[in-house]
Structures are given as C-alpha cells and as structure tokens.
C-alpha cells in the first residue's frame, strides 16, 4: 500500500493576501459581508483612522483608498507565514516591499495579521504594521 500524500490547501487569509498583491479584485469573493476589518500601526504617527471597515462594501472603498494613497505602484510579497491557532483563527506574518505613497519612498514592511475564517470566507482581520523601513 502506497502512502497517501497530504494535500495542503492555502488558508483564506493566504489567498486574500495573494490576490491583494496581484491586484485581483476577486479577493472580495473571499470576504464575508460582515467583515470586521482594521489596520493598526505600531509607533507611527500616520493617520490610520480611516483604515477600518465593518462590511464588504466599506472594505472595497478602503482598499481603493489604500491603492491610491499607500500602494500607488502595488506591492511585492517577500513572504508569508501562517500559523493555525484553532477554531478558524490564524496568525500570519506578511513581509512586503512597496513604494509608500504616503512617504514617497520605497520601503519594506513587516505586519502581523490575526484573522478568522468560516465557511470559506474571511470574517475578521486585524493587521498590525510593525515596521516600515526605507530600502
């Protein structure tokens, strides 16, 4: 009897990140209508009060603004690491490099994302931007 190979499927958060990096609007198909979404920054005085959404429509507006103001040239993933915490919860580290429109410079950033997914949809997202370092 041959051993069965384990099929590892990407988590919803990993799929959303990949689609975000690719600029693929189908990422919203992976977002629950009642998403609870917020981005925080550690020790940064940038105005992020607008970086929160309570539903998919608000998130679509927010992502549009992120694209225009924060990621005008898109972003490049330098790697993700996703750890399952149980019961649909995940902790993901996401490293990226991008031209930071707010500061008009090329940067690298490390963020941590606590997320929850149910029924194949992302319904909770908290991102903490820990560093934004000039390249």
């Amino acid at each position: 009897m041959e051993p069965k190979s384990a099929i590892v499927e990407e988590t919803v958060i990993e799929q959303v990140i990949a689609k975000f990096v690719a600029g693929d609007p189908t990422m919203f198909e992976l977002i629950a209508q009642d998403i609870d979404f917020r981005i925080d920054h550690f020790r940064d005085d940038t105005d992020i009060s607008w970086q929160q959404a309570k539903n998919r429509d608000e998130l679509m507006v927010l992502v549009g603004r992120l694209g225009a103001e924060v990621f005008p040239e898109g972003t490049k993933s330098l790697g993700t690491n996703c750890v399952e915490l149980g019961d649909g919860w995940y902790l993901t580290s996401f490293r990226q490099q991008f031209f930071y429109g707010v500061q008009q410079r090329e940067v690298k950033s490390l963020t941590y994302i606590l997320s929850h997914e149910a029924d194949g949809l992302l319904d909770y997202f908290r991102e903490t931007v820990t560093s934004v370092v000039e390249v």
Side-chain angles (χ1 to χ4, degrees), residues 60-127:
M60 292 172 88
V61 172
L62 186 155
V63 169
R65 186 171 172 185
L66 280 175
E69 296 180 23
V70 178
F71 302 103
E73 298 177 10
T75 189
K76 175 183 169 187
S77 175
L78 302 177
T80 59
N81 183 31
C82 190
V83 177
E84 183 176 5
L85 302 175
D87 295 326
W89 291 96
Y90 294 88
L91 180 60
T92 305
S93 62
F94 174 44
R95 290 176 289 114
Q96 61 186 320
Q97 182 173 331
F98 57 97
F99 178 79
Y100 191 12
V102 174
Q103 297 181 358
Q104 294 292 299
R105 61 188 179 132
E106 188 74 16
V107 299
K108 287 184 180 178
S109 177
L110 170 63
T111 69
Y112 292 101
I113 301 165
L114 178 63
S115 63
H116 184 265
E117 55 193 61
D119 301 320
L121 298 175
L122 191 68
D123 58 13
Y124 183 89
F125 180 102
R126 286 295 182 281
E127 178 176 4

Side-chain angles (χ1 to χ4, degrees), residues 20-70:
F20 176 77
V21 168
D24 183 347
T26 64
M27 73 179 218
F28 293 107
E29 295 171 7
L30 299 171
I31 306 295
Q33 288 291 343
D34 63 346
I35 181 76
D36 185 346
F37 182 99
R38 189 173 76 221
I39 300 172
D40 295 314
H41 288 232
F42 177 69
R43 293 188 177 165
D44 186 357
D45 59 3
T46 302
D47 175 21
I48 55 163
S49 61
W50 57 273
Q51 295 181 359
Q52 53 190 337
K54 293 281 185 198
N55 58 56
R56 188 188 301 165
D57 290 338
E58 288 181 6
L59 181 59
M60 292 172 88
V61 172
L62 186 155
V63 169
R65 186 171 172 185
L66 280 175
E69 296 180 23
V70 178

